[in-house]
Amino acid sequence: MDRAATAEKIAELIEPFNKKGIAITEATTFAGDLEWDSLTVMDFVAAIEDDFDIIISMNQQAEIETYGQLIDAVTKLQG
């Protein structure tokens, strides 16, 4: 799956978690802009891992702060 398709799929997965209807851009932060707490982040990561059949390590999760960074990480993990 290329980066654009990955971005589209991740955007779909964000929707149920985007309670405030924030416009998602590459620079959108999960903690700041979307105001996600740690439980929401864990639920979202589980959805990403299930949908893409990948594992995102705790170290990788700590480094991912924006939607754009997540797209890049998922694209890379898919090989």
Side-chain angles (χ1 to χ4, degrees):
M1 185 178 295
D2 67 9
R3 190 178 191 283
T6 299
E8 187 176 321
K9 185 61 186 171
I10 292 172
E12 290 173 15
L13 293 171
I14 286 175
E15 278 309 306
F17 297 95
N18 188 1
K19 304 288 187 210
K20 297 188 176 203
I22 303 294
I24 306 297
T25 69
E26 294 255 341
T28 300
T29 61
F30 300 108
D33 297 325
L34 296 175
E35 299 179 7
W36 289 359
D37 60 19
S38 58
L39 182 59
T40 303
V41 169
M42 294 305 291
D43 286 345
F44 177 65
V45 168
I48 293 285
E49 289 178 332
D50 288 348
D51 204 271
F52 288 95
D53 195 27
I54 58 173
I55 300 293
I56 303 174
S57 73
M58 294 300 275
N59 289 341
Q60 287 171 307
Q61 289 179 39
E63 295 173 2
I64 298 170
E65 296 179 2
T66 67
Y67 172 62
Q69 290 172 334
L70 178 61
I71 296 165
D72 291 338
V74 171
T75 301
K76 184 177 178 183
L77 286 168
Q78 291 179 98

